Amino acid sequence: MTNLKERMQDGRSVWYGGKLVTNIAEHHAFRGTVQTIEQLLGLQTGALEQELTCEGAHLSFLVPTAREDLQRKEKAYKIWADATFGIMSRLSEYSREIETGWYANRKHLATIIPHFDTKIERIYQNSRNRDLLSTAAAQDLQRNRSRATVEADNGQLRVVKKTEEGVIVRGAKTIATAAPYVDEYIISSFHKRSDTQHALANTFIIPANLQGLQIVCRESFASSDAVNAPLSARYDEMDAVLIFEDVLIPWEYVLVLEDPDAAWKLQVDPVAAALSQHQTVVRLKSKLQSVAGIAYGLAKSADVTGFLNVQNDLANLIMQVETIEALLRTAQHTGELHNGIFIPNRQYLGTARNLGTRYYATGVEAIQQIGASGLLQTPATTEELASHPEWSEYFAASDEFDSTKRTMLSKLAWDFIGSPLGSRHALYERFYSGDPIRTYANYYNNHPQQQAFTQFATSIL
């Protein structure tokens, strides 16, 4: 398999700032993240090969048939998540697991979608054999959110013509996180389509260099200063809008065509959903550990760990990590075989994911409370401390946290919560699973104990 930089030079159309990017790997908006992904891929052929791969491909492609397989996959996810502080959420394991889940459950899905098994088998084998990176784009662009009919918004992706070669589509999909770097995209509908919206009910898996596809990137939050902005310089995944202007999608890439029922059943397939959500919870745990670690470091550097209010904040952050850990363990322990595939318990994964939308916001607030004005009392760069050593005593806290170490800790914390990258993640963690109001409502409506709770309440009245 060619290296990442060579793979990106495949003719894909990546746009940034109104210009077509000719060399993604060297562009300032993408350079640091590309280097990070290359380093992660390098681990697969190094000392961690056994922990990260199976038969040459990342373990996200492994079809689990026993609990031990889930544990292997968890370990692989954790290695990559920890290496990026849990910040890089779309390192492809999530979307790879969707593809793996569809492949694993292909025989059942073929009873709903004609020829699905043969198509997904070919796609999966190609992705696995080449260890391709991928992402998913299921959302429509926000335009008139009060209306949802096909006629209301021509910007929604729909088929405009069918040919012998495939379907010609027009419209856009978002949010395609990591789109400039990955090899293929899963295109679907995040919400269930009505019968009158059948033109929008499609599912495709397409290559990034599909002719005519335009990848339009948001403003970069990347920094060129890896010392003073350590996270922004390395982990800005980039979000993009995929624009299809009469693009031909060959039939081999078309999994569902204008079929609301089939598209939705594929979108909520229990195997693909469970495997992909498993990865998101592992990453969530890693990110919350980073939150707790930064908060503790700030408290330690300011010597406030003895304050009751700080202890309360730190205890809360620790309990958040422990709660997600417990839910993850329970989800794996109570997993079960589904059509021969061992999947984690989605109820506990759903609990963890819903809690995560609130936990992260709590964590950011704790860092703000503990760091307080100290987050703004750092020189612009560490070079100022090096060039003026006599100033060191003003920025030092203790022998353990000298001026340089304390300054770097404050910069790390600010990059985590206060920089453009940090603001993006506050938004992401709140909405990446969808509207939190809707996800909590769905959790209630689909909870297996809902009826039991209702009967209990009725019995005591």
Side-chain angles (χ1 to χ4, degrees), residues 19 46 51 156 210 314 376 410:
K19 297 180 180 179
E51 286 80 7
Q156 293 171 302
L210 188 65
L314 295 176
L376 305 177
S410 294

Side-chain angles (χ1 to χ4, degrees), residues 391-429:
W391 294 351
S392 294
E393 64 176 297
Y394 299 111
F395 297 97
S398 62
D399 291 338
E400 183 178 356
F401 288 92
D402 60 21
S403 59
T404 300
K405 188 172 182 179
R406 189 180 189 189
T407 297
M408 292 305 299
L409 175 61
S410 294
K411 288 183 176 296
L412 172 66
W414 182 255
D415 205 10
F416 201 92
I417 68 166
S419 66
L421 181 75
S423 297
R424 184 263 183 193
H425 278 270
L427 188 67
Y428 175 85
E429 294 298 344

Side-chain angles (χ1 to χ4, degrees), residues 16-17 20 24 33 43 52 66 92 99 126 131 154 199 234 246 253 269 274 323 334 350 404 431 447 460-461:
Y16 183 84
L20 188 64
I24 299 170
T33 307
L43 297 177
L52 288 171
S92 290
E99 194 172 308
N126 177 65
D131 201 31
N154 290 325
R234 297 174 172 90
D246 294 342
Y253 302 142
D269 174 63
T323 298
T334 60
T404 300
F431 291 108
H447 197 283
I460 60 175
L461 293 178

